[in-house]
Amino acid sequence: MRIALFITCVNDLAYPGTGIAVTRILRRLGHTVEFPTAQTCCGQMHANTGYRAEAMPMVRNYVDVFDSYDAIVAPSGSCTAMIRDQYPHLHAPAASVAARTYELSELLVDVLGVTDVGAEFPETVTYHPTCHGLRMLRLGDRPLTLLRNVRGIQLVELGDAEECCGFGGTFALKNPDVSTAMLTDKCARVRDTGARVLAAADNSCLAHIGGGLDRNRSGVRAMHYAEILAETGATS
Amino acid sequence: MTARDEILARLRTALADNPPPVQVPRRYRRVDDRADLIGTLVDRLEDYRAVVHHGIDALPRLLSEVDRLAVPTDVPAEWLAGYAGQLHRDAPPLSPAALDALDAVLTGCAVAVADTGTIILDAGPAQGRRALTLVPDRHICVVRTDQVVGLLPEALTRLDPRAPQTWISGPSATSDIELNRVEGVHGPRRLEVVLIGLGT
Amino acid sequence: MNPPATPATGSGRIRTPLPFPTAAKPAVADTQLRANLHRATRTIRAKRARVVDEVPDWEALRDAGSAIKADVQRRLPELLEQFEASATAAGATVHWARDAAEACRIVVALTQAAGADEVVKVKSMATQEIELNEALEAAGIAAYETDLAELIVQLGEDTPSHILVPAIHYNRGQIREIFQRRMADAPTDLSDEPAALAEAARAHLRRRFLSARVAVSGANFAVADSGTLVVVESEGNGRMCLTLPETLISVVGVEKLLPTFTDLEVFLQLLPRSSTGERMNPYTSMWTGVTPDDGPQTVHIVLVDNGRSAVLADPVGRPALSCIRCSACLNVCPVYERAGGHAYGSVYPGPIGAILSPQLTGVADNASLPYASTLCGACYDVCPVKINIPEILVHLRQQAPHPAAERATMRVLSWVMRSPRRWAAALRLARAGAGPLGAYRQRRTGARTLRRLPWPASAWTRSRDLPLPAPQTFRDWWGKQ
Ligand code: SF4
């Protein structure tokens, strides 16, 4: 099976560690991952902010770059949701590649049939199910199943977990007061757990919540769950 | 152009894209398969804080607390057996003010829905006009077990849309204060249901 | 002026006077309001979840509800004609109103013809939308709201902030205060117990109900094949208004139709569980024209367009007309919970308001509303008629007028990101710029984030740190392997 990594624009720029983690996990499981360097961005920010026409070149580029792969994995619930939910409506030829695009936990659990990736991470962790993963992709408890099988991890339940953190892409900039109010509540729930690590499937939401946690000097570290799954305890 | 014709023309223009016909999927339950419908009905009614009594024999005791009772003109005589208070038949029709001075009203119903604890009045036998069951503060409603159905779709098949209907699920209530339900606003504040078997 | 057959936008209380972010600002800062909304919406969410979870065929009911409404939209003109014919045959008089002003004129004229100078009102979104109370008052007719929450709002000289519970923004203490200040016959020792407040409202309105000659209502459903109108309520104020007065005037949006009486078997299961979180609401009234010697003997129905034809004209936005005003989407919306209903300007707040109001007025007139959402999708999950609100929001954003600076930025970004070569170069540039900056900051403070940035990035850094671009991008790492 030819697996390609769609890193997503935000991760490429600011969270390379997440891409490195995905690569390591898959290699550890015996799979080859390819990274087609002509990839750019899925176009979600443009499409969801009202610039669909400006998003279209990115949509077409995605099809060109990834159409030849059996599976494309993206470490982002919301980019995966953009591709799977919106692409078929935006650009009919994208339907097939969209159907072969998976969020990391979908690839692991559904396609590769793995729920234990052999990770070890001795920390208390709480998990925030990000909205697009939760309600558009219906990831369900796939990410949590993977995390539960990490050795040494102590998972603590997040209160009001399914409530949006207030990021919402350009929402955070266009509606800063409401966004901040939502963020404040989310940060409070995270701190209530006493966990030292907040995990999620989207680095954009994590940048928002983590940024809020950092601002309050909460000492909680925001981490993409892939980076936890990549940990083996051995120094790498 | 009249407003009617103009609105209809606008709507026709709005549908210029010719949307395809819609097939309505009706995969929902239309018949209840629960064994104990009466038990369910009682549970639901009590959940709304309606008071449920069993058997026609409960009526005389209930009515003995009522000084002034309103009844529809065709109330079955056996429901009133031994009633010693003031009886006000709705003929000629009682005025709203007159109804407001009475303590309770006694009626039957058309259908009762177990799943939702709903009693439906359709101005049919032993039910009278709508105002009758609205103004008095206490409604005593006799439900025959053969009038109980499981689900809403079963109830609708027994109803005629041309009859004015009042669906009652518990005493009047409001959730307008902090979205918490409290019983007792403008409609009857007490709803009492007397369940009677067939032929009693 | 539109030529007659062109779908037209509406008027009335459906426009945001201020952009949503501006209007939301004071609400977010009002801790009392936040606490009231938090408490109320959490209560109702839990109740809804409980009674929905016990229905094994809930999804099948949603599918049916959604399809029935799609069918109504497709056949709206013919169903309206059918409804008019059935209602007329049953003794009702049907009127048609192109917009809010025309609807108000009709109701005023009918009230005057009945010789009344006051009306009792059943809570109705349509009459709030067309600003009927103001029109009646201008004509010297007093309108008395009889729903408890509407009464609170009317006495408080406020406007509704929720579809189902217009006074959701008040807590019990504030309601008691309004009653004591504005309700002449309120008991002097009125407590803030909800039961006592309800009792005060009962006593206050009793005489008015018993003597009212004209009532004004809306309708939850209008059944085409029978001509029946349906009102779903809790308190009995609806029954009072629909039963005791001689004349009943019902203002009904054209989208409220259902094809058949049997279709109520779907909607009367979906609506109560979604709205008040009850298996069934205390009272549902149905009437078909006039019933001799039972209830109002003069029955009028005013069918209102007021922008609905414009909503219907957009095939993507059309499902907004399926809304049964249950308010479940408001109650789960994290944005509504923080901003409150007034921030949406229109009588339709929350997620449904964010799509419906701009569609009724044209997006340009309510341009901030499609952006008043994080697209989290909680609304779509609970909507009993499966309106894909996030999809319609995104659709409306395409039509919204965009600020020039934003447009320019988006175009540049698109130009960069559409080209693998330019995107790779941009990443190199960002890393080159950020690397030294990050190294400097890390050396000075040990942090890998930025805390304060100038506008427009200040919208971000006011409440969150901003991560710096990493010292190496992912593709750098990949390339080095
Ligand atoms: S959009 Fe759906 S959830 Fe919201 S009020 Fe309308 S019917 Fe209810």
Side-chain angles (χ1 to χ4, degrees):
Chain A
M1 180 192 287
R2 288 186 72 211
I3 303 175
L5 170 64
F6 173 50
I7 182 66
T8 80
C9 62
V10 167
N11 287 333
D12 201 347
L13 175 67
Y15 299 96
T18 300
I20 297 169
V22 173
T23 313
R24 287 202 177 128
I25 296 165
L26 290 171
R27 284 180 182 163
R28 201 161 71 214
L29 295 171
H31 298 279
T32 312
V33 195
E34 295 178 44
F35 179 77
T37 52
Q39 62 181 281
T40 61
C41 161
C42 69
Q44 177 178 214
M45 180 183 72
H46 283 91
N48 282 357
T49 309
Y51 298 85
R52 204 168 265 166
E54 285 80 0
M56 286 312 294
M58 276 94 95
V59 177
R60 284 190 287 267
N61 185 60
Y62 185 90
V63 179
D64 292 346
V65 172
F66 289 107
D67 210 14
S68 62
Y69 291 91
D70 300 317
I72 301 102
V73 61
S76 161
S78 79
C79 300
T80 309
M82 163 73 187
I83 294 161
R84 278 239 298 278
D85 276 26
Q86 293 202 42
Y87 273 24
H89 304 291
L90 295 174
H91 184 54
S96 151
V97 68
R100 280 176 278 130
T101 301
Y102 303 95
E103 192 275 334
L104 175 64
S105 69
E106 295 175 313
L107 181 83
L108 290 172
V109 176
D110 301 348
V111 182
L112 305 178
V114 181
T115 53
D116 184 343
V117 297
E120 182 178 342
F121 189 69
E123 275 291 2
T124 47
V125 177
T126 192
Y127 178 78
H128 167 62
T130 53
C131 299
H132 290 176
L134 181 71
R135 282 179 279 262
M136 293 174 81
L137 296 179
R138 305 277 169 199
L139 293 184
D141 60 1
R142 288 180 187 84
L144 272 172
T145 304
L146 291 161
L147 286 173
R148 273 190 211 108
N149 288 325
V150 172
R151 270 157 286 290
I153 199 169
Q154 199 192 332
L155 277 171
V156 280
E157 199 173 321
L158 178 65
D160 295 333
E162 300 195 349
E163 182 153 324
C164 177
C165 67
F167 170 61
T170 47
F171 177 85
L173 302 176
K174 284 177 178 279
N175 287 279
D177 293 281
V178 178
S179 175
T180 298
M182 290 166 67
L183 171 64
T184 306
D185 291 346
K186 182 58 77 180
C187 289
R189 295 294 81 73
V190 171
R191 297 173 76 157
D192 289 347
T193 64
R196 285 163 47 91
V197 174
L198 167 71
D202 271 281
N203 277 326
S204 43
C205 305
L206 282 171
H208 169 77
I209 313 174
L213 291 167
D214 284 350
R215 177 59 52 91
N216 300 319
R217 306 197 188 287
S218 68
V220 182
R221 190 167 146 218
M223 262 177 104
H224 195 286
Y225 78 97
E227 296 177 31
I228 295 176
L229 297 183
E231 292 284 336
T232 54
T235 39
S236 48
Chain B
M1 206 179 206
T2 64
R4 177 187 188 278
D5 293 346
E6 184 168 338
I7 292 168
L8 290 172
R10 286 173 178 180
L11 296 173
R12 290 202 171 93
T13 310
L15 291 165
D17 63 312
N18 233 327
V22 179
Q23 200 56 47
V24 176
R26 297 191 189 261
R27 294 184 311 265
Y28 51 86
R29 294 172 302 159
R30 303 188 100 143
V31 182
D32 205 334
D33 49 14
R34 263 174 296 210
D36 185 13
L37 290 185
I38 303 295
T40 306
L41 176 67
V42 171
D43 174 74
R44 304 306 200 230
L45 284 167
E46 289 178 341
D47 191 41
Y48 298 137
R49 280 176 231 176
V51 180
V52 183
H53 307 269
H54 295 269
I56 189 108
D57 299 344
L59 261 179
R61 187 180 39 75
L62 257 178
L63 293 181
S64 69
E65 307 160 10
V66 178
D67 292 336
R68 289 155 300 190
L69 180 70
V71 288
T73 49
D74 58 347
V75 64
E78 64 267 28
W79 294 0
L80 295 171
Y83 179 64
Q86 276 182 35
L87 193 64
H88 297 259
R89 286 182 193 272
D90 191 33
L94 297 158
S95 72
L99 283 169
D100 198 33
L102 305 182
D103 300 306
V105 58
L106 171 67
T107 71
C109 73
V111 193
V113 188
D115 185 51
T116 59
T118 303
I119 292 169
I120 302 176
L121 273 61
D122 67 355
Q127 296 162 52
R129 311 176 284 141
R130 283 173 282 172
L132 201 61
T133 49
L134 171 61
V135 181
D137 202 17
R138 183 174 175 187
H139 181 190
I140 301 167
C141 186
V142 177
V143 177
R144 287 197 326 263
T145 48
D146 66 317
Q147 290 175 319
V148 179
V149 299
L151 299 173
L152 222 107
E154 298 170 77
L156 274 152
T157 60
R158 297 194 184 192
L159 295 166
D160 180 345
R162 285 164 303 185
Q165 288 173 31
T166 305
W167 295 29
I168 298 171
S169 306
S172 81
T174 182
S175 301
D176 280 357
I177 301 164
E178 298 173 2
L179 280 169
N180 263 314
R181 178 171 161 132
V182 288
E183 279 79 20
V185 203
H186 305 292
R189 287 183 284 190
R190 293 167 71 185
L191 173 67
E192 288 178 271
V193 177
V194 181
L195 276 167
I196 64 172
L198 270 174
T200 46
Chain C
M1 192 65 200
N2 290 296
T6 309
T9 54
S11 52
R13 195 176 295 139
I14 48 178
R15 279 178 174 74
T16 38
L18 292 171
F20 181 82
T22 314
K25 207 178 178 64
V28 172
D30 182 341
T31 49
Q32 178 70 68
L33 175 68
R34 289 266 300 280
N36 294 353
L37 286 171
H38 179 85
R39 180 159 167 196
T41 54
R42 303 284 155 148
T43 307
I44 194 74
R45 274 183 216 177
K47 286 175 69 180
R48 178 203 161 273
R50 200 164 52 238
V51 296
V52 164
D53 286 349
E54 74 177 24
V55 180
D57 51 350
W58 184 253
E59 289 307 317
L61 287 165
R62 286 179 85 205
D63 288 338
S66 170
I68 292 167
K69 281 293 192 177
D71 183 42
V72 167
Q73 285 143 33
R74 195 182 76 86
R75 298 193 286 137
L76 196 49
E78 91 187 53
L79 290 174
L80 282 166
E81 287 174 314
Q82 191 190 6
F83 173 79
E84 179 187 41
S86 340
T88 307
T93 310
V94 176
H95 311 258
W96 300 72
R98 298 172 183 89
D99 55 24
E102 187 167 26
C104 288
R105 276 200 303 278
I106 293 169
V107 178
V108 167
L110 291 172
T111 308
Q112 286 166 338
D117 59 5
E118 62 175 55
V119 301
V120 284
K121 281 191 69 205
V122 192
K123 185 180 122 44
S124 121
M125 294 306 300
T127 60
Q128 289 282 1
E129 172 190 322
I130 64 172
E131 301 182 293
L132 179 63
N133 289 3
E134 290 79 355
L136 288 168
E137 196 187 329
I141 300 164
Y144 296 102
E145 293 291 352
T146 64
D147 167 78
L148 178 53
E150 289 279 14
L151 175 69
I152 295 163
V153 166
Q154 191 178 39
L155 290 174
E157 295 184 321
D158 199 350
T159 52
S161 71
H162 188 273
I163 294 176
L164 174 73
V165 190
I168 194 171
H169 52 295
Y170 292 124
N171 65 19
R172 57 184 77 188
Q174 293 168 310
I175 294 167
R176 176 181 64 172
E177 190 272 321
I178 291 172
F179 278 12
Q180 282 182 325
R181 195 158 42 85
R182 301 296 313 273
M183 190 191 271
D185 50 0
T188 45
D189 59 348
L190 183 63
S191 85
D192 66 359
E193 273 308 305
L197 296 168
E199 167 75 38
R202 176 184 169 99
H204 174 71
L205 288 170
R206 195 90 187 151
R207 186 198 54 78
R208 198 144 267 148
F209 282 136
L210 299 182
S211 61
R213 295 172 49 209
V214 177
V216 177
S217 82
N220 294 91
F221 306 102
V223 183
D225 72 344
S226 60
T228 306
L229 291 183
V230 182
V231 163
V232 170
E233 53 129 358
S234 295
E235 296 167 11
N237 64 309
R239 291 177 69 190
M240 290 280 179
C241 294
L242 302 171
T243 309
L244 299 182
E246 260 306 293
T247 300
L248 172 59
I249 307 167
S250 303
V251 179
V252 183
V254 290
E255 83 284 13
K256 293 284 172 192
L257 286 193
L258 295 181
T260 68
F261 184 71
T262 309
D263 292 322
L264 288 170
E265 72 188 19
V266 174
F267 290 92
L268 289 176
Q269 295 194 68
L270 290 172
L271 179 54
R273 292 186 198 256
S274 299
S275 67
T276 48
E278 295 165 303
R279 295 190 177 105
M280 186 62 82
N281 50 291
Y283 300 131
T284 297
S285 296
M286 301 187 193
W287 70 101
T288 305
V290 173
T291 306
D293 306 319
D294 186 349
Q297 297 299 293
T298 307
V299 169
H300 294 280
I301 302 166
V302 185
L303 294 171
V304 183
D305 176 357
N306 201 39
R308 285 155 181 79
S309 53
V311 183
L312 189 71
D314 176 352
V316 179
R318 187 176 288 158
L321 293 178
S322 301
C323 174
I324 56 173
R325 312 278 188 263
C326 73
S327 76
C329 60
L330 280 65
N331 299 334
V332 295
C333 178
V335 175
Y336 175 86
E337 186 191 325
R338 272 76 182 188
H342 290 145
Y344 295 80
S346 155
V347 289
Y348 302 110
I352 181 61
I355 58 170
L356 187 58
S357 307
Q359 289 185 273
L360 288 170
T361 62
V363 182
D365 273 15
N366 267 318
S368 66
L369 288 181
Y371 292 94
S373 165
T374 61
L375 307 178
C376 82
C379 47
Y380 182 28
D381 266 13
V382 295
C383 178
V385 287
K386 297 181 81 165
I387 302 174
N388 190 336
I389 295 176
E391 178 182 287
I392 299 176
L393 285 166
V394 169
H395 168 71
L396 296 173
R397 289 177 184 186
Q398 315 301 326
Q399 300 164 24
H402 297 136
E406 178 190 284
R407 173 172 292 276
T409 311
M410 287 293 194
R411 288 204 169 139
V412 170
L413 279 173
S414 167
W415 180 78
V416 172
M417 289 174 139
R418 75 183 55 174
S419 147
R421 195 175 43 78
R422 287 193 291 268
W423 172 238
L427 285 174
R428 276 195 303 277
L429 198 68
R431 185 208 51 212
L437 183 59
Y440 168 76
R441 217 180 124 62
Q442 193 153 21
R443 226 173 20 250
R444 286 246 335 225
T445 65
R448 289 183 302 108
T449 58
L450 292 173
R451 296 182 73 87
R452 212 176 313 121
L453 286 174
W455 188 90
S458 57
W460 179 273
T461 54
R462 50 176 275 177
S463 52
R464 336 152 175 84
D465 289 6
L466 183 72
L468 282 163
Q472 71 171 355
T473 62
F474 177 76
R475 61 185 66 215
D476 292 338
W477 175 81
W478 185 271
K480 282 181 202 145
Q481 288 187 84

